[in-house]
Amino acid sequence: MKVPLADLKAQYQTIKPEIDSAIQNVIENTQFILGKAVTDFEQAFAQAHQTKYCIAVGSGTDALHAALWAIGVGEGDAVVTSPFTFIATVEAISLTGAQPLFVDIDPRTYTMDPAGLEKLLKSSNSKKIKAVIPVHLYGQPADMEAIGKLSEKYNFAIIEDAAQSHLAKFGGKFVGNFGAAACFSFYPGKNLGAYGEAGGILTNDDALAKKMRQLRDHGQSEKYKHEFWGHNYRMDGIQGAVLGVKLKYLNQWTSKRRQIAAKYKQQFDGISDLVVPFESPKAFHVYHQFVLLTKKRSAFQEYLTEKGIATALHYPIPIHFQEAYRHLDYKPGDFPVSEACAEECISIPAHPEMSDEMVEYVIENVRSFYK
């Protein structure tokens, strides 16, 4: 049996008539950049997360950069995030001219450790810190209660990196409601994925929403009237149409991810040398990835590959070890939890297109490896 890590072709087949019709409508109306399909999606996505506004942009990286830019982050500022993330989180900081600072992750949730954040905030660098980007990694929200309290105490803005956490919740509240803005990726493989590059920003701030809409469109308030310089971060009409269709199924798909995750955790419980994902009691985890930790990763990955089960490593090199960020002068051992997770993490299939037989096949082979 072949079990892919994701199956976008199978997903497309289940909603093909709606997708084809939505794309055809955009082509017939020639609204290729922004337009009604994008506006309709913005309204629906904001409503789904119980926020006031969604600003649709060209990618998750665009979303992060535009959000930081809009709140005024620039040269001389510092922005804190974790080193265990995709590089786009940190690139967005660099694009503003600000300095990235890191704090380690919690060993159970793999999200920003609030205690480590407070320690950094108490240091001599704290006056430069203008914003903090908690990463809701793999579909699990960071501890936004603790980070929110630190924001009030130390006066920094929160920009949520929710690229992997569509419809996730913390304390019963959807991501997107814990800071100045929340940034999403709609990369094709995400829980809600476009058919190309796309991203979005959620906010409840009227002025910030207006500014981000202008930033994504060269600073325009109306055609050919540019109040400030911005960028071209606009979403394609076809991506808005695709996302508008797929959003209607996102709750259903999320439920399936959670069902598979629950079954895996039940079946893998008690296997030595295998750490299953932890779900914070206050969180609603949406399992963008089902990530195991094992000290036998190479052999485990090779075994599953031989059995036709796809795997991936999210993420095998923490940012402070990347060549692009060696100039920050972090050393091995500075972020031990991130470094350990990078060496032991492995993602296995847990997507809504999996049949029951596929799920059982993965369980059977994971258990057989450890026997």
Side-chain angles (χ1 to χ4, degrees):
M1 186 181 291
K2 297 287 185 184
V3 186
L5 199 65
D7 195 340
L8 300 182
K9 188 176 286 188
Q11 185 188 76
Y12 168 61
Q13 291 300 326
T14 66
I15 53 175
K16 185 179 187 300
E18 289 177 86
I19 289 287
D20 291 354
S21 175
I23 292 174
Q24 186 66 32
N25 189 54
V26 172
I27 294 170
E28 288 176 355
N29 288 288
T30 66
Q31 292 185 317
F32 299 118
I33 307 296
L34 299 177
K36 187 177 186 301
V38 172
T39 301
D40 288 348
F41 168 69
E42 287 177 324
Q43 292 173 350
F45 193 70
Q47 185 176 12
H49 290 84
Q50 298 176 357
T51 60
K52 289 176 73 173
Y53 305 106
C54 171
I55 297 88
V57 294
S59 70
T61 311
D62 292 354
L64 287 161
H65 182 219
L68 289 169
W69 194 358
I71 65 170
V73 171
E75 289 188 24
D77 296 325
V79 178
V80 184
T81 191
S82 59
F84 193 58
T85 182
F86 184 60
I87 197 170
T89 312
V90 191
E91 280 179 325
I93 300 169
S94 300
L95 285 168
T96 67
Q99 179 189 3
L101 298 175
F102 297 135
V103 295
D104 211 350
I105 56 174
D106 180 279
R108 295 195 299 174
T109 66
Y110 314 136
T111 63
M112 182 178 284
D113 176 19
L117 175 59
E118 183 158 31
K119 184 177 178 182
L120 177 61
L121 291 164
K122 287 178 177 177
S123 73
S124 58
N125 281 327
S126 63
K127 289 182 181 178
K128 296 167 42 180
I129 294 171
K130 191 158 188 173
V132 171
I133 306 179
V135 182
H136 304 321
L137 197 69
Y138 302 146
Q140 171 137 262
D143 186 345
M144 297 313 300
E145 182 181 344
I147 294 169
K149 288 178 180 175
L150 292 174
S151 173
E152 293 173 7
K153 183 176 178 181
Y154 292 95
N155 192 31
F156 59 79
I158 295 172
I159 302 293
E160 301 172 65
D161 183 340
Q164 300 181 355
S165 296
H166 317 71
L167 296 186
K169 297 178 188 176
F170 189 86
K173 189 159 66 171
F174 284 106
V175 297
N177 290 281
F178 294 99
C183 303
F184 293 78
S185 168
F186 303 123
Y187 184 78
K190 293 294 195 290
N191 291 22
L192 179 63
Y195 286 174
E197 295 281 6
I201 312 164
L202 295 181
T203 186
N204 291 305
D205 186 308
D206 299 356
L208 194 58
K210 180 183 177 184
K211 187 165 188 180
M212 290 188 293
R213 287 194 195 284
Q214 288 182 248
L215 274 174
R216 75 171 174 187
D217 195 18
H218 304 286
Q220 293 189 103
S221 55
E222 55 185 280
K223 195 164 186 179
Y224 300 131
K225 289 190 177 180
H226 306 266
E227 294 182 7
F228 46 84
W229 56 272
H231 209 295
N232 177 4
Y233 282 161
R234 300 170 300 199
M235 181 184 280
D236 294 349
I238 286 175
Q239 305 311 336
V242 168
L243 291 167
V245 171
K246 293 175 77 172
L247 180 58
K248 294 184 288 185
Y249 296 90
L250 186 57
N251 272 310
Q252 172 187 325
W253 293 339
T254 301
S255 294
K256 181 69 182 291
R257 288 179 184 274
R258 287 179 55 81
Q259 288 168 15
I260 294 170
K263 189 158 193 176
Y264 280 168
K265 288 198 274 189
Q266 180 189 36
Q267 292 294 321
F268 302 156
D269 185 43
I271 296 178
S272 62
D273 184 55
L274 194 65
V275 179
V276 299
F278 168 80
E279 183 169 1
S280 165
K282 292 186 177 181
F284 179 82
H285 197 318
V286 296
Y287 294 97
H288 169 58
Q289 301 293 346
F290 190 91
V291 181
L292 300 165
L293 296 187
T294 173
K295 290 181 169 37
K296 302 174 182 176
R297 185 172 71 182
S298 293
F300 183 53
Q301 185 172 35
E302 185 178 339
Y303 181 84
L304 293 182
T305 301
E306 288 173 358
K307 299 295 184 180
I309 299 169
T311 60
L313 308 181
H314 300 104
Y315 298 93
I317 307 173
I319 304 300
H320 63 296
F321 287 171
Q322 297 283 356
E323 187 64 34
Y325 285 100
R326 289 197 184 278
H327 65 278
L328 297 179
D329 292 329
Y330 287 114
K331 304 180 298 297
D334 282 346
F335 307 106
V337 183
S338 295
E339 292 165 27
C341 287
E343 290 180 0
E344 298 176 12
C345 64
I346 182 167
S347 304
I348 64 172
H351 57 85
E353 288 70 48
M354 290 178 73
S355 65
D356 292 344
E357 291 76 19
M358 286 179 175
V359 174
E360 292 298 335
Y361 183 73
V362 172
I363 291 169
E364 173 190 329
N365 282 285
V366 170
R367 293 180 66 87
S368 68
F369 173 81
Y370 282 97
K371 284 178 182 176

